[in-house]
Each structure stands twice: as C-alpha cells, then as structure tokens.
Amino acid sequence: MRVAGALRPRRRVAVAREEVQPLAGEPVEVETDDGARLHVEVDPADPAQVVPGAPTVVLCHGYGLSADAWHFQRLALRGRHRLVLPEHRGHGRSTRGPAGPVGLARLADDLGQVLDVVAPTGPLALVGHSLGGMTIMELAVRRPDLLERTRAVGLVATSSGGLAAFDHGLPLLGRHLVRWAEQALQRTAERADVLERGRRLGADVEQRLVSHWSFASPVSPEVERLAARMMAGTSVGTIADLLPAFGTLDETEALVALAGRAVLVIAAERDLMTPAAHGRTIADAVPGAEHVLVRQAGHLVMLEHPAVVTARLERLLARAAGDVEHGGHGGGDEVVLPVAARSRPRRVRP
C-alpha cells in the first residue's frame, strides 16, 4: 500500500463561486418502458481533443442528488471524452414514474435503456457514486451485452451490500432510525405535500444536516449549497420509494462479472452513508481492481476533494485506453491525504 497526495488532473479544477453553477450539455429525454421520463445530459467530445477509440464516459449520480454532483469531474473531462450524465427517476429533472418502491433492478433497467438510446454502440466507461455505483453493479448482471462493451468501471463511495447492519455514524440508534424512517415515509407518502412544506421551512437545518453527512473537512459555502440544493430538490416520495432498496442490497454476483476490466474503487475515510470498509470489500472481490482510500473525506468525496477523484478517474480512463505511461498497470492500494486537508483543521460543527 502506498500513501500519496492528490495526483494533479490534466486540467486544474478550482472550487470557485462561478464554477458551481450548473453546466449545460445536450439534453436528451428517454422514456422508459414503464413511462418514466429520464433527463440525460450529453457533452460531446471535441474531435481535436479526443483520443481515437476512447470510451463514452457515463457518470451516474447518487441517492438524492443529480447530475450536478459530478460538476468538477465533468468540467475537467468534457471535450476530451464524450460524457453521458443520466438522472435517476425522481431525481433532478427526471420524472418519478409509477409510485411505489423502486429497486436496483428498476434503476439498472433505466440505465440500460438510456444507453440503448444515447450510446448504442462503442466502448463504455461506467462511473457511479453511491446509488449510481450500485446501479452499475446491477447493470453488469442484467445487461451482459452492455458489460461486454464496458472497458472501465469506477465505483465511488458505494457498497455492494451489508448496509442494513451499518449505524450511519449513530452507534446503537442508526439502524433503528433508518427502519423508523422507512416506516414513517411509507405512512406519510399520501401527505408528501405537507412534508415538503416542512422541509422548506427547515431549509437551514437541512443544509446543516446535509453538510454533516456529506463532508468530513471544510468545503466552500458554494459547494455546501450545491449539495443541499440537490437534496432539497429530491421529493419525499422519491426518497421513500428507494430507501428500502438499501437494506436488501446484495451485488456479490455483479462483482464476479466485473473481472477482466479496469476497475477503480474510491472509498472515503469518514463516509457516514457507505462506509469505507465496503469499498475495500468490493476491491477485494474484483481481481486487479485499484483501491483508493481518501483521508478526511465524507460521502460526497467528488465534491469535497474533486482533484483527487478527477485525477484517479483520468488514470482509470488511461488504463482503459491502454495508455500505460499515464494510466499505470492498475491494481493495488493507495491512501491519499488531499493537499488541502493537510493544512487545515477539521471544522467544528455546531
């Protein structure tokens, strides 16, 4: 295992106020077989920058977020790669579809149908954060035709199972609170309008909670607001639809299917949603997978330490393209202490 600072991405990505404004691509709407309308952003590759044969890079966001979760990675990669950023049903600008519980199988089918429309041919690199990573793992089992075209897989702050036993940073209470939340959301689904009004009234409290469970070190106010805005934009109904899926998650079969591809697993040391040990489990189950543990990082590691995540994704894509000089040979363990985290104390939260 090696300990390193953040690799420098080929394009510097600074956290500045103007850079957290939404990025616009070519919007595509994909209607699924059950009637949900999924919003997809597509950033075309620049012929002058793209490497011939480079895969289409698919960036799948996490639970309660939107395509904006990949803001900094999108900013760095656009032009050099064709980027596809789908939004899960009920998230961002996608419609919820039929009401009721939504499992990983449904989300994987959604992703497969998106790729059938926007990337029907050619090599793929599938990158997912949290729920997005779980969706990609499920897709690997359900759509072997897409897996055959997949050259690289990036799994960021995600899990392949066992979340029902995790306390989410609340020893003794965490598991009980999750179950209570499931039951409460199910009982009040028909009064979602009341809950939504309550969320708006408690917006400041919600932002503080989002920050607590999303980041482990100081981030700019703009990044905090971006995270809170994405989560506030996800309806209570969508949260209720998906919450039960985490307790039954088991993607063991998918990890076997990923063998033989360039696989990157990024885990965040202080992740209160998908613990770092779950990233270790995934990497151990996929021969040749690269495992990166980011110190002083929370669940939204790609927003908290964007340079670290971007650099490792660039290295993964270089591996997928066979660029040994820039991509390395893959595999192994790395522990990263982000440069910015070395010189600042952890924020004391009120």
mmCIF file of all heavy atoms in Angstrom, residues 5-6 305 308 336-344:
data_model
loop_
_atom_site.group_PDB
_atom_site.id
_atom_site.type_symbol
_atom_site.label_atom_id
_atom_site.label_comp_id
_atom_site.label_asym_id
_atom_site.label_seq_id
_atom_site.Cartn_x
_atom_site.Cartn_y
_atom_site.Cartn_z
ATOM 1 N N GLY A 5 -0.187 12.039 -2.089
ATOM 2 C CA GLY A 5 -1.025 13.219 -2.194
ATOM 3 C C GLY A 5 -1.863 13.109 -3.447
ATOM 4 O O GLY A 5 -1.801 12.131 -4.176
ATOM 5 N N ALA A 6 -2.637 14.120 -3.711
ATOM 6 C CA ALA A 6 -3.522 14.083 -4.868
ATOM 7 C C ALA A 6 -2.726 14.204 -6.155
ATOM 8 O O ALA A 6 -1.883 15.075 -6.304
ATOM 9 C CB ALA A 6 -4.534 15.225 -4.782
ATOM 10 N N HIS A 305 -13.261 16.697 -2.369
ATOM 11 C CA HIS A 305 -11.878 16.648 -2.840
ATOM 12 C C HIS A 305 -11.883 16.329 -4.341
ATOM 13 O O HIS A 305 -11.472 15.249 -4.771
ATOM 14 C CB HIS A 305 -11.091 15.585 -2.079
ATOM 15 C CG HIS A 305 -11.033 15.809 -0.604
ATOM 16 N ND1 HIS A 305 -10.480 16.940 -0.042
ATOM 17 C CD2 HIS A 305 -11.490 15.060 0.442
ATOM 18 C CE1 HIS A 305 -10.572 16.874 1.282
ATOM 19 N NE2 HIS A 305 -11.182 15.753 1.600
ATOM 20 N N VAL A 308 -8.670 14.976 -6.311
ATOM 21 C CA VAL A 308 -8.297 13.588 -6.059
ATOM 22 C C VAL A 308 -9.119 12.655 -6.936
ATOM 23 O O VAL A 308 -8.584 11.771 -7.623
ATOM 24 C CB VAL A 308 -8.491 13.228 -4.575
ATOM 25 C CG1 VAL A 308 -8.228 11.741 -4.335
ATOM 26 C CG2 VAL A 308 -7.579 14.066 -3.702
ATOM 27 N N VAL A 336 -4.722 8.348 0.209
ATOM 28 C CA VAL A 336 -4.478 9.726 -0.212
ATOM 29 C C VAL A 336 -4.905 10.685 0.886
ATOM 30 O O VAL A 336 -6.042 10.626 1.358
ATOM 31 C CB VAL A 336 -5.259 10.058 -1.502
ATOM 32 C CG1 VAL A 336 -4.971 11.491 -1.938
ATOM 33 C CG2 VAL A 336 -4.915 9.074 -2.602
ATOM 34 N N LEU A 337 -4.015 11.560 1.272
ATOM 35 C CA LEU A 337 -4.359 12.691 2.131
ATOM 36 C C LEU A 337 -4.381 13.912 1.238
ATOM 37 O O LEU A 337 -3.327 14.381 0.786
ATOM 38 C CB LEU A 337 -3.338 12.879 3.255
ATOM 39 C CG LEU A 337 -3.584 14.086 4.179
ATOM 40 C CD1 LEU A 337 -4.923 13.953 4.891
ATOM 41 C CD2 LEU A 337 -2.454 14.236 5.178
ATOM 42 N N PRO A 338 -5.555 14.439 0.903
ATOM 43 C CA PRO A 338 -5.623 15.586 -0.008
ATOM 44 C C PRO A 338 -4.769 16.744 0.473
ATOM 45 O O PRO A 338 -4.676 17.005 1.670
ATOM 46 C CB PRO A 338 -7.113 15.949 -0.005
ATOM 47 C CG PRO A 338 -7.800 14.667 0.343
ATOM 48 C CD PRO A 338 -6.891 13.992 1.333
ATOM 49 N N VAL A 339 -4.148 17.422 -0.473
ATOM 50 C CA VAL A 339 -3.233 18.511 -0.134
ATOM 51 C C VAL A 339 -3.923 19.546 0.741
ATOM 52 O O VAL A 339 -3.376 20.004 1.742
ATOM 53 C CB VAL A 339 -2.699 19.168 -1.421
ATOM 54 C CG1 VAL A 339 -1.863 20.397 -1.079
ATOM 55 C CG2 VAL A 339 -1.878 18.164 -2.220
ATOM 56 N N ALA A 340 -5.137 19.935 0.367
ATOM 57 C CA ALA A 340 -5.842 20.983 1.119
ATOM 58 C C ALA A 340 -6.128 20.556 2.543
ATOM 59 O O ALA A 340 -6.221 21.380 3.447
ATOM 60 C CB ALA A 340 -7.139 21.347 0.410
ATOM 61 N N ALA A 341 -6.275 19.233 2.773
ATOM 62 C CA ALA A 341 -6.632 18.754 4.106
ATOM 63 C C ALA A 341 -5.443 18.743 5.050
ATOM 64 O O ALA A 341 -5.607 18.660 6.263
ATOM 65 C CB ALA A 341 -7.230 17.346 4.004
ATOM 66 N N ARG A 342 -4.230 18.849 4.521
ATOM 67 C CA ARG A 342 -3.050 18.751 5.378
ATOM 68 C C ARG A 342 -2.832 20.002 6.209
ATOM 69 O O ARG A 342 -2.218 19.959 7.278
ATOM 70 C CB ARG A 342 -1.802 18.520 4.514
ATOM 71 C CG ARG A 342 -1.856 17.246 3.709
ATOM 72 C CD ARG A 342 -0.647 17.148 2.815
ATOM 73 N NE ARG A 342 -0.842 16.115 1.806
ATOM 74 C CZ ARG A 342 -0.027 15.919 0.792
ATOM 75 N NH1 ARG A 342 1.035 16.662 0.654
ATOM 76 N NH2 ARG A 342 -0.275 14.971 -0.088
ATOM 77 N N SER A 343 -3.335 21.115 5.716
ATOM 78 C CA SER A 343 -3.026 22.380 6.381
ATOM 79 C C SER A 343 -4.222 23.021 7.059
ATOM 80 O O SER A 343 -4.167 24.173 7.443
ATOM 81 C CB SER A 343 -2.464 23.357 5.342
ATOM 82 O OG SER A 343 -3.387 23.550 4.288
ATOM 83 N N ARG A 344 -5.324 22.285 7.200
ATOM 84 C CA ARG A 344 -6.486 22.890 7.827
ATOM 85 C C ARG A 344 -7.091 21.933 8.845
ATOM 86 O O ARG A 344 -7.181 20.739 8.612
ATOM 87 C CB ARG A 344 -7.534 23.257 6.763
ATOM 88 C CG ARG A 344 -8.120 22.071 6.047
ATOM 89 C CD ARG A 344 -8.930 22.520 4.832
ATOM 90 N NE ARG A 344 -9.580 21.374 4.187
ATOM 91 C CZ ARG A 344 -10.047 21.391 2.962
ATOM 92 N NH1 ARG A 344 -9.945 22.472 2.213
ATOM 93 N NH2 ARG A 344 -10.631 20.331 2.452
#
